[in-house]
């Protein structure tokens, strides 16, 4: 029963059972290597600690001194790099703020509302322009007066909306 295929076993089960001794041997060798490496690295350190810090009190002072030295090192590095990290943080904030103003973090509904609002404003602007031109042409009873309102001012061209707005919510 344990050495043959079974309808309820995944095919990997028998394959893993066949290779279990080899896997145990590899894992045992890796553990032995790690244990021996840790012992060979820590033995000189522990020998130095035992030789130079006799007794429990000196060992505690040694740990406190190591922590103090580490804190001084971190303080030294922080003091040297604090201004650069602040500038980097400001640059990242500027990039994020620019993306917010471009609408990168808007949801699909917010983008649709923004586009619909822009459409409504454009429609109102063009309707008012048409009513003004038609009223002026009707009052003057001149088609040429209506055509005068069609002149395009190249310095004040409205921008065209982008067909696709790339947003964070569109990323997979």
């Amino acid at each position: 029963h344990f050495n043959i295929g079974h309808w309820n076993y995944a095919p990997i089960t028998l394959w893993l059972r066949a290779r279990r001794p080899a896997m145990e041997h590899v894992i045992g060798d890796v553990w032995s290597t790690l244990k021996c490496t840790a012992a060979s690295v820590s033995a000189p350190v522990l020998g130095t600690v035992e030789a130079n810090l006799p007794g429990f009190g000196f060992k505690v002072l040694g740990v406190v001194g190591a922590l103090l030295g580490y804190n001084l090192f971190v303080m030294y590095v922080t003091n040297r790099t604090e201004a650069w990290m602040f500038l980097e943080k400001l640059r990242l904030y500027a990039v994020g703020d620019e993306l917010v103003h471009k609408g990168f973090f808007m949801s699909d509904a917010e983008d649709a509302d923004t586009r619909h609002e822009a459409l409504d404003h454009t429609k109102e602007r063009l309707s008012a322009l048409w009513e003004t031109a038609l009223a002026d042409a009707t009052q003057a009873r001149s088609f040429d007066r209506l055509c005068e309102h069609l002149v395009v001012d190249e310095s004040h061209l409205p921008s065209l909306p982008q067909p696709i707005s790339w947003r964070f919510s569109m990323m997979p």
Side-chain angles (χ1 to χ4, degrees):
H1 167 256
F2 288 109
N3 297 318
I4 61 169
H6 190 267
W7 63 271
N8 200 20
Y9 282 180
I12 190 78
T13 305
L14 293 177
W15 186 84
L16 286 173
R17 281 188 182 169
R19 280 144 186 85
R20 181 176 176 181
M23 289 189 293
E24 287 177 348
H25 182 70
V26 168
I27 291 171
D29 286 349
V30 168
W31 174 249
S32 174
T33 302
L34 289 175
K35 193 166 57 171
C36 291
T37 302
S40 65
V41 168
S42 65
V45 174
L46 291 176
T48 302
V49 167
E50 285 297 327
N52 295 319
L53 299 174
F56 181 74
F58 285 124
K59 287 181 178 61
V60 169
L61 284 177
V63 169
V64 169
L67 291 175
L68 183 64
Y70 175 74
N71 284 340
L72 289 173
F73 171 76
V74 169
M75 184 180 71
Y76 175 80
V77 170
T78 302
N79 287 340
R80 297 292 186 266
T81 60
E82 186 176 14
W84 182 82
M85 286 187 270
F86 181 71
L87 290 175
E88 183 69 15
K89 190 185 336 178
L90 284 177
R91 188 187 69 78
L92 289 175
Y93 175 76
V95 168
D97 193 44
E98 180 183 348
L99 288 173
V100 166
H101 288 303
K102 285 183 178 179
F104 183 70
F105 296 107
M106 286 195 305
S107 67
D108 293 339
E110 290 172 332
D111 184 55
D113 288 343
T114 304
R115 287 175 177 271
H116 195 317
E117 183 179 333
L119 174 69
D120 289 341
H121 285 300
T122 302
K123 194 173 11 174
E124 288 175 15
R125 180 181 62 84
L126 292 176
S127 295
L129 183 63
W130 170 252
E131 290 172 6
T132 304
L134 188 61
D136 189 27
T138 304
Q139 185 177 12
R141 295 181 180 258
S142 172
F143 183 73
D144 292 334
R145 181 69 65 93
L146 180 65
C147 292
E148 288 175 5
H149 287 278
L150 294 176
V151 175
V152 177
D153 184 12
E154 293 182 15
S155 62
H156 295 92
L157 289 176
S159 63
L160 295 175
Q162 294 293 327
I164 296 175
S165 60
W166 297 105
R167 295 180 316 281
F168 185 70
S169 63
M170 295 175 74
M171 292 184 182

